Amino acid sequence: EAQVTQNPRYLITVTGKKLTVTCSQNMNHEYMSWYRQDPGLGLRQIYYSMNVEVTDKGDVPEGYKVSRKEKRNFPLILESPSPNQTSLYFCASSLSSRMRGYTFGSGTRLTVV
Amino acid sequence: GIQVEQSPPDLILQEGANSTLRCNFSDSVNNLQWFHQNPWGQLINLFYIPSGTKQNGRLSATTVATERYSLLYISSSQTTDSGVYFCAAYTGGGSYIPTFGRGTSLIVHP
């Protein structure tokens, strides 16, 4: 089944403790991206990747890191999480940057206390 | 950057009713997409529609790129249509960051 898999689905952590949210797709998509969704603010892109080893900042990159060492994986790293990073996070992938066939993961609800 | 506005922000329907959701965008776009977020939070791709009209069952969408708007039609609504509908616009031209609207929250009562 074609899908984007995110883990974990839920995560509660403490301020400053490094964490990684994994994202993997099995559709051989070139374009992958991370979003956060907050009430009243909608979906905002954090980082995106056009292909392996090619990443760039989205609208809200501060406090996040990403890497794209393999085509299928695009982990999101929070090196020192803070409470304002409490949010619902989505990974997405598509064939190209034009968003055709855009597929979202199931989401990760992160709480930083 | 491009502005994307959706209307109405909230919509309550009785099962079986029809509805039209609107998405206005402030600049020319390379593509326009509609998504549905169900009550469990899952985001589903509905239409990739930079221009023209597409239909998928009870849902259809029309984008008039020259007038900078897109419409999503839901006919004979069902309770499973409940959730939030987002449009997202992508301008291209070296920008690879889509802009999402704030969404239309739809509740369909049985």
Side-chain angles (χ1 to χ4, degrees), chain A residues 48-91:
Chain A
Y48 66 92
S49 170
M50 299 289 287
N51 213 325
V52 176
E53 302 291 2
V54 181
T55 63
D56 210 342
K57 297 176 181 178
D59 287 326
V60 287
E62 294 78 19
Y64 304 95
K65 285 177 61 177
V66 293
S67 68
R68 188 92 180 271
K69 293 183 169 54
E70 305 166 282
K71 197 170 187 178
R72 63 184 292 127
N73 295 324
F74 191 45
L76 179 70
I77 302 157
L78 284 72
E79 299 239 330
S80 183
S82 61
N84 64 14
Q85 292 178 299
T86 293
S87 186
L88 178 58
Y89 291 86
F90 287 98
C91 179

Side-chain angles (χ1 to χ4, degrees), chain A residues 13-17 63 78 80-86 89 110-113:
Chain A
T13 190
V14 296
T15 299
K17 186 177 181 182
L78 284 72
S80 183
S82 61
N84 64 14
Q85 292 178 299
T86 293
Y89 291 86
L110 172 66
T111 302
V112 184
V113 298

Side-chain angles (χ1 to χ4, degrees), chain A residues 31 35 37 40 98-99 102, chain B residues 31 33 37 45 96 98 102:
Chain A
Y31 182 86
Y35 293 86
Q37 185 177 26
R98 283 178 168 263
M99 295 171 58
Y102 221 48
Chain B
N31 66 56
Q33 202 147 5
Q37 187 169 34
N45 188 326
Y96 302 105
R102 298 285 178 93

